[in-house]
Amino acid sequence: MSGKTYQIALIPGDGTGPEVVREGVKVLQAAGEKFGFKMEFASFDFGGDRFLRTGEVLPDAAVLEFKKFDAIFLGAIGHPDVKPGILEKGILLRLRFELDQYINLRPVKLYPGVETPLKDKGPEDIDYVVVRENSGDCYTGIGGVSMKGTADEVAVQNMVYTRSQVERCLRYAFECTRKRARKKTLALCGKTNVLTYVYDLWERAFHEIGARDYPDIRREYYHVDATCMWMVKNPEWFDVIVTGNMFGDIITDLGAITQGGMGIAAGGNINPAGVSMFEPIGGSAPKYTGKNVINPLAAVCSGMMMLEHLGEEKAARSIERSVIFVTGKKLKSLAAGKMGYSTSEVGDLVAKNLT
Ligand code: IPM
Ligand code: MN
């Protein structure tokens, strides 16, 4: 019983975002009642509809206001009537950058009863965490274009990393590996055979920090292409994978499908010393919007990660047990419209079965 009250900013966002956030909030509130803490929610309507109505993506004042919260809980960003990039860059990426959420933590964990496309693999084989660097790489927007529209058009988008950015991410990943009771193995995923500046920096920092400060953690290195192969063929090899922003984006979609897909995959944008933001990995799923058929478990699991981050470990484990019960004993499938239950019923099931 922490007795604490947490101030949480909600950004339900676009498409099915509001529907899944509602269920996440339901479960968080139930967990709070059971474990003796309170959550107070303030909702913000940033997203495609507001942009289309007002032309405003995310005002500067809002970014400042978010800094006052204990955490942010986000549904989905992306609208079919808005050109790709505007909302993603203007809301999601802007918050990640301005709140310096330099870690994107994405667990890949197959729960019992959930179908995986990986042949002959079960929950004991698929249980690792991807620590995706979340502040640098091709995401910084550094680059440019010239002679646009001509046959000589040149487009550059740079992969950018500083030593300190790489170091803080690696340290977080080593600490994360130390806390897990699995294999005490940290794998660096890179591309040292081609990206001989950027991933050479990562690799040197990885071994230097590891040898000096984390001798108890085993270090492995995989090229990103091989990582994809082993994530499919031998996922049981992995405990924690650390990688840059771009590779991390790509391999976590692959990871998500091996754990049952976008209906369950959750993530946290973490600033260990600031305000972190939790979100399902999946998008806004416009075709399912408003139908009460989307799977809210990814949002529920993001809420669970938020509690873990806030120090409400017991409540987080309780949510996880309930999710395992629901996926294992209740749902027919994790796919939207095929669960055997509606979105709100799945939220009810998790909330009622907290133990
Ligand atoms: C993700 C998404 C985002 C990213 C997009 C929407 C900008 O794909 O969170 O993985 O590339 O990081
Ligand atoms: Mn992605």
Side-chain angles (χ1 to χ4, degrees):
M1 299 271 164
S2 73
K4 288 190 185 153
T5 300
Y6 300 100
Q7 304 296 332
I8 307 297
L10 299 179
I11 309 177
D14 300 317
T16 51
E19 291 165 68
V20 299
V21 162
R22 199 175 304 134
E23 301 315 308
V25 166
K26 185 189 281 176
V27 172
L28 287 167
Q29 265 162 344
E33 272 162 38
K34 197 169 173 56
F35 290 92
F37 60 86
K38 264 211 191 114
M39 308 219 115
E40 287 177 1
F41 299 97
S43 195
F44 296 83
D45 69 347
F46 302 115
D49 287 332
R50 178 177 171 135
F51 171 68
L52 291 171
R53 216 172 51 237
T54 66
E56 188 167 64
V57 180
L58 183 67
D60 295 345
V63 180
L64 285 174
E65 199 176 344
F66 284 132
K67 293 190 180 173
K68 297 186 201 142
F69 285 87
D70 292 308
I72 304 170
F73 189 46
L74 181 142
I77 295 294
H79 195 291
D81 302 334
V82 182
K83 192 174 158 221
I86 295 179
L87 301 169
E88 293 87 342
K89 279 191 170 175
I91 301 176
L92 191 60
L93 297 182
R94 179 148 177 237
L95 285 174
R96 286 178 185 172
F97 286 132
E98 294 205 17
L99 301 176
D100 204 17
Q101 296 162 340
Y102 61 85
I103 298 295
N104 197 324
L105 193 60
R106 298 187 159 182
V108 180
K109 186 168 179 177
L110 179 68
Y111 287 136
V114 174
E115 209 180 315
T116 173
L118 302 188
K119 190 165 159 267
D120 301 331
K121 299 294 175 188
E124 63 290 346
D125 303 306
I126 303 174
D127 182 4
Y128 55 96
V129 176
V130 178
V131 175
R132 166 186 175 190
E133 203 288 329
N134 212 28
S135 69
D137 211 328
C138 306
Y139 281 74
T140 57
I142 293 177
V145 58
S146 81
M147 293 175 282
K148 192 164 181 177
T150 74
D152 296 318
E153 178 168 342
V154 187
V156 179
Q157 206 121 27
N158 293 300
M159 181 172 273
V160 182
Y161 268 114
T162 68
R163 171 85 190 202
S164 59
Q165 251 175 338
V166 169
E167 277 206 15
R168 66 183 184 173
C169 176
L170 288 170
R171 285 193 186 281
Y172 185 94
F174 276 114
E175 294 290 338
C176 170
T177 313
R178 202 174 251 174
K179 278 195 211 111
R180 280 168 59 87
R182 210 166 139 88
K183 303 171 79 166
K184 303 277 181 219
T185 301
L186 179 61
L188 172 64
C189 162
K191 188 72 186 172
T192 51
N193 52 350
V194 174
L195 303 173
T196 50
Y197 307 130
V198 167
Y199 278 99
D200 178 61
L201 167 58
W202 274 87
E203 197 181 32
R204 275 182 289 115
F206 178 60
H207 291 300
E208 283 168 27
I209 294 169
R212 195 174 56 231
D213 296 334
Y214 301 93
D216 50 318
I217 307 295
R218 225 163 76 93
R219 298 188 300 275
E220 292 179 342
Y221 172 81
Y222 299 91
H223 292 320
V224 61
D225 42 359
T227 306
C228 291
M229 192 168 71
W230 300 126
M231 280 169 67
V232 171
K233 183 152 187 304
N234 295 101
E236 67 280 3
W237 287 357
F238 295 116
D239 182 7
V240 180
I241 300 176
V242 62
T243 189
N245 206 346
M246 189 80 255
F247 295 165
D249 176 46
I250 298 165
I251 69 168
T252 53
D253 265 32
L254 174 58
I257 203 70
T258 68
Q259 69 177 122
M262 291 307 177
I264 189 93
N269 302 278
I270 312 254
N271 175 346
V275 182
S276 300
M277 176 166 74
F278 297 83
E279 53 167 340
I281 297 189
S284 56
K287 72 173 178 181
Y288 297 119
T289 302
K291 300 204 161 103
N292 202 21
V293 296
I294 196 83
N295 186 342
L297 288 179
V300 169
C301 291
S302 311
M304 166 186 94
M305 290 180 73
M306 181 167 81
L307 290 185
E308 221 165 78
H309 177 78
L310 293 171
E312 298 291 346
E313 184 63 33
K314 277 191 187 144
R317 294 286 66 80
S318 169
I319 293 177
E320 184 166 51
R321 281 194 301 275
S322 185
V323 168
I324 290 173
F325 169 74
V326 170
T327 55
K329 303 269 190 262
K330 296 284 181 186
L331 301 195
K332 284 200 219 114
S333 152
L334 294 192
K338 297 184 179 149
M339 300 186 289
Y341 296 88
S342 68
T343 305
S344 48
E345 284 170 338
V346 174
D348 290 339
L349 277 173
V350 179
K352 283 197 195 118
N353 287 289
L354 294 175
T355 53

